[in-house]
């Protein structure tokens, strides 16, 4: 009887150790590149790189070039000036609820550094005589902001192909720091590759 229990325990040990080894052989991809499929509809383009740093955490950076049609989504216009974002660099941190190696909901916090054209304002220019002359024109400046996002990531083709749906909103800090202007960024359907 003791011999049968020993054989049974040894068999269970072999089965569980072989299952554990199979689980360890599943590749864990730490890098991901992706792009937004909806931005080309607005004459725009973005590219994101993400690196998994822990079981549920990832960090990354994204760059976006915006066309003229993207400004129609921007809520950062006032009654006096027209604002247009030219490009944006976004470092981000993601938290995956089910872990970075699985299909999962995620939350994202990101910063933003963007170049903005402000049209319709008075701009000062110094003429040849050294006098300041004001005219209505365009001023280009760099502005920072913060944002947050939520989404869901699907993993396909042995966890290599990524399909994401995300909603994100960012606010820029104006030069006078009184009004915060919200804009939809990092929003859309994204496709990517993990390696």
């Amino acid at each position: 009887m003791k011999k049968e229990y020993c054989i049974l325990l040894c068999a269970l040990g072999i089965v569980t150790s072989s299952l554990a080894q199979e689980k360890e052989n599943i590749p864990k991809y730490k890098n991901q590149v992706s792009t937004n499929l909806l931005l080309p509809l607005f004459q725009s383009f973005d590219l994101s790189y993400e690196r998994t740093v822990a079981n549920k955490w990832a960090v990354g950076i994204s760059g976006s070039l915006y066309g003229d049609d993207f400004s129609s989504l921007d809520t950062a216009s006032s009654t006096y000036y027209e604002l247009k974002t030219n490009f944006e660099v976004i470092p981000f941190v993601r938290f995956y609820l089910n872990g970075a190696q699985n299909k999962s909901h995620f939350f994202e916090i990101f910063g933003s550094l963007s170049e903005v054209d402000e049209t319709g304002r008075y701009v000062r220019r110094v003429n040849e005589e050294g006098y300041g002359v004001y005219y209505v024109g365009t001023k280009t400046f760099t502005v920072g902001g913060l944002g947050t996002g939520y989404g869901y990531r699907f993993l396909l083709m042995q966890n290599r192909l990524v399909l994401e749906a995300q909603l994100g909103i960012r606010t820029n800090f104006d030069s006078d720091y009184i009004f915060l202007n919200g804009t939809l960024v990092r929003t859309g359907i994204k496709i990517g590759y993990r390696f």
Side-chain angles (χ1 to χ4, degrees):
M1 197 66 145
K2 289 182 182 181
K3 186 177 185 181
E4 293 169 350
Y5 285 124
C6 288
I7 292 173
L8 181 63
L9 285 175
C10 288
L12 285 174
I14 292 171
V15 168
T16 55
S17 66
S18 66
L19 289 176
Q21 288 175 358
E22 286 178 16
K23 192 172 184 179
E24 290 175 6
N25 289 335
I26 296 173
K28 294 185 178 183
Y29 304 111
K30 299 226 178 238
N31 301 298
Q32 174 181 316
V33 291
S34 61
T35 188
N36 194 330
L37 296 176
L38 298 181
L39 280 182
L41 298 174
F42 300 100
Q43 300 174 351
S44 304
F45 175 76
D46 85 328
L47 187 64
S48 293
Y49 170 76
E50 178 183 321
R51 171 82 177 169
T52 301
V53 293
N55 181 31
K56 294 187 176 189
W57 293 93
V59 297
I61 190 161
S62 175
S64 302
L65 297 172
Y66 298 119
D68 292 334
D69 290 347
F70 184 78
S71 60
S72 63
L73 299 176
D74 200 351
T75 62
S77 60
S78 67
T79 56
Y80 303 108
Y81 312 123
E82 179 183 336
L83 299 173
K84 178 185 171 288
T85 304
N86 296 323
F87 67 86
E88 189 165 26
V89 177
I90 301 173
F92 61 90
V93 174
R94 276 189 181 177
F95 176 74
Y96 290 97
L97 296 178
N98 295 337
Q101 301 297 325
N102 303 312
K103 297 177 186 176
S104 180
H105 295 270
F106 61 85
F107 293 100
E108 187 174 275
I109 297 173
F110 55 87
S112 168
L113 187 65
S114 55
E115 180 185 83
V116 177
D117 287 341
E118 189 175 51
T119 305
R121 68 173 294 136
Y122 286 105
V123 180
R124 185 176 189 269
R125 183 183 68 205
V126 177
N127 62 13
E128 290 107 18
E129 290 84 28
Y131 297 109
V133 178
Y134 289 90
Y135 65 98
V136 176
T138 300
K139 177 183 177 186
T140 301
F141 57 94
T142 303
V143 65
L146 293 173
T148 185
Y150 166 78
Y152 189 84
R153 178 172 78 174
F154 297 93
L155 299 177
L156 309 165
M157 295 176 55
Q158 299 176 345
N159 293 347
R160 280 209 179 262
L161 186 66
V162 177
L163 188 63
E164 293 179 352
Q166 183 176 1
L167 174 66
I169 189 164
R170 175 258 296 145
T171 183
N172 277 341
F173 299 110
D174 283 344
S175 57
D176 55 8
Y177 294 99
I178 294 175
F179 298 106
L180 299 176
N181 298 313
T183 303
L184 291 174
V185 296
R186 298 192 53 74
T187 297
I189 306 297
K190 298 179 182 182
I191 190 164
Y193 181 76
R194 300 176 76 211
F195 56 96

